[in-house]
Amino acid sequence: MYLRFQALTAPVQLRAVARLGDQDFFWDVIEPSLTDQLDATLSSVSVPSASTSLTTEVAKLLSLVRHPGVRSRMPVLEASYNKLGLPHRAAIAAAAPDPHFLPVTIEAMQTAGDWRVAEQLCELLVVPYGPLMSAEVLRAVLEGWSSNSKCRAASRMPKLAVVLYAATAHLGLARHPLWQQFVRDARARAEADDLPYYSYDGVEQAIVTDGGAPIGEFGARF
């Protein structure tokens, strides 16, 4: 296998890495010198700009950054991934859920600059990552969400918050204070902006249904 792989052109080799790079047997037959060559070849692959589509092959290749062993063998992989804009990094993370990509969920809520973009990022990226979140990650996601008006005041976000609450059930009662603070922050801003729809009453109702205490700072609205 090694000799056949070595004879392939560089682009074909990278396509093979994209398909097989998450398998230990693949690296078992690749000599270090060829690994260095692959890393050098990857460095010549242009990273798409925000306005350029991310090809399936490049996305699969860069998604391998989630594997510690691949990162150590091909350091350029992480550098190339980090050069991508948020939309491309979010797409890769959504297609290959892994704890390595959790920081992208925080960034998405902190920096989404458009209501519809915020909804899309939340539905396709943040909610699916709910079961992988630690309390610390959830706290950062919710703080970014409540402080970013493009997230907080997007029309679908109150319902998506309830879905994310359910997706973080593995955190048990430990998540209640995080969500309660989120609702308090959201309600304070909703009251200041005179936008009562964005009081996130559904989250409070979900907490109470789970046996948690009502938030009550601005009164229950459900």
Side-chain angles (χ1 to χ4, degrees):
M1 174 180 173
Y2 174 73
L3 293 177
R4 291 199 302 270
F5 183 82
Q6 190 177 33
L8 299 174
T9 62
V12 175
Q13 287 178 344
L14 287 181
R15 286 198 293 271
V17 172
R19 291 195 304 272
L20 302 173
D22 59 348
Q23 303 296 318
D24 289 339
F25 78 84
F26 175 79
W27 297 106
D28 288 343
V29 299
I30 301 297
E31 294 184 357
S33 60
L34 184 53
T35 300
D36 293 341
Q37 180 181 320
L38 290 170
D39 196 43
T41 301
L42 178 60
S43 67
S44 67
V45 176
S46 59
V47 175
S49 65
S51 60
T52 305
S53 297
L54 185 67
T55 67
T56 301
E57 287 183 358
V58 171
K60 284 183 178 180
L61 183 61
L62 295 183
S63 74
L64 294 175
V65 72
R66 69 191 187 276
H67 295 288
V70 182
R71 290 199 302 273
S72 66
R73 291 181 174 96
M74 301 179 67
V76 171
L77 194 65
E78 188 159 27
S80 297
Y81 172 79
N82 290 336
K83 288 178 183 177
L84 293 171
L86 174 61
H88 289 331
R89 284 184 285 113
I92 289 173
D98 187 88
H100 181 77
F101 295 128
L102 280 168
V104 185
T105 65
I106 300 171
E107 182 184 353
M109 294 295 90
Q110 290 175 337
T111 65
D114 176 87
W115 293 301
R116 303 293 81 81
V117 170
E119 291 169 344
Q120 184 178 40
L121 287 170
C122 188
E123 181 176 27
L124 300 181
L125 174 67
V126 177
V127 168
Y129 269 79
L132 299 179
M133 291 181 183
S134 64
E136 291 74 17
V137 171
L138 177 60
R139 182 193 304 276
V141 166
L142 295 179
E143 287 176 351
W145 188 327
S146 65
S147 63
N148 183 350
S149 64
K150 298 303 182 183
C151 288
R152 186 183 66 255
S155 60
R156 295 179 57 217
M157 295 300 270
K159 291 183 178 179
L160 286 170
V162 176
V163 180
L164 181 59
Y165 174 83
T168 56
H170 63 287
L171 296 174
L173 297 178
R175 77 195 196 280
H176 283 179
L178 306 179
W179 281 101
Q180 289 167 333
Q181 187 60 51
F182 166 76
V183 174
R184 290 189 188 98
D185 292 343
R187 285 183 177 174
R189 291 180 169 103
E191 194 163 273
D193 297 337
D194 194 23
L195 294 172
Y197 175 79
Y198 299 104
S199 296
Y200 287 83
D201 301 330
V203 174
E204 180 175 12
Q205 184 172 12
I207 293 172
V208 172
T209 299
D210 278 349
I215 296 163
E217 184 167 323
F218 296 103
R221 297 179 174 83
F222 55 82

